[in-house]
Amino acid sequence: MSLNLRSYTIQYALTMLALVGLGFVAARFEFQLPPGITIWLPAMVAAQNIAMKHGQTTGTPLEKGVAWKLAWPLTGCALAVQAAYLVVSTTIYAVRGFDVWNFLLFVGGPALFVILLITVGLLYLTNRFFLGLGVRAGIKAFERQGQSK
């Protein structure tokens, strides 16, 4: 299976932006979205969509161990989008008067590093799991197309 990293990144970013917008609307009505949803849900959606396309076009499952290897580049793309989001949101907070550097110093480097490692691990596992689900769903759609012809 070859990955379309561009498609994954676009789907991830658009889903994340939609969730950020939904968060603003929800805050207006004094409702809060679950923490971390802007990280995990875009990974789920994007990984499943690109894998589903593979399953629909080929009708074959992934070879053993391939999903584990393919999840790394997807995780890298997700981290790049998250880093861009972090830069933009940190800049907005700084412009609005929040002292971001004091907050980061308060939390500390080791704690931020542990949070980063946990985030990378969970993103990787999310991408790997939803690659498998997407391929299986695509294969089912491929089989249904074959039966309807």
Side-chain angles (χ1 to χ4, degrees), residues 8-22:
Y8 175 87
T9 305
I10 290 170
Q11 288 180 42
Y12 187 98
L14 289 176
T15 306
M16 191 177 91
L17 287 174
L19 286 170
V20 168
L22 183 63

Side-chain angles (χ1 to χ4, degrees), residues 47-136:
Q48 189 165 4
N49 283 344
I50 66 167
M52 193 179 302
K53 286 181 185 174
H54 168 77
Q56 283 177 330
T57 56
T58 65
T60 59
L62 294 176
E63 294 178 26
K64 192 169 185 115
V66 170
W68 291 102
K69 292 176 188 169
L70 294 176
W72 282 118
L74 300 181
T75 302
C77 291
L79 288 173
V81 173
Q82 286 297 326
Y85 173 72
L86 181 65
V87 168
V88 170
S89 63
T90 303
T91 303
I92 291 171
Y93 279 124
V95 167
R96 296 183 86 194
F98 183 74
D99 193 359
V100 176
W101 296 115
N102 268 346
F103 174 76
L104 292 176
L105 290 174
F106 174 75
V107 172
L112 291 173
F113 185 70
V114 168
I115 291 169
L116 176 67
L117 287 179
I118 291 170
T119 302
V120 168
L122 290 175
L123 265 174
Y124 174 72
L125 291 174
T126 300
N127 282 319
R128 191 273 169 246
F129 181 70
F130 281 91
L131 276 173
L133 284 178
V135 168
R136 284 191 291 271

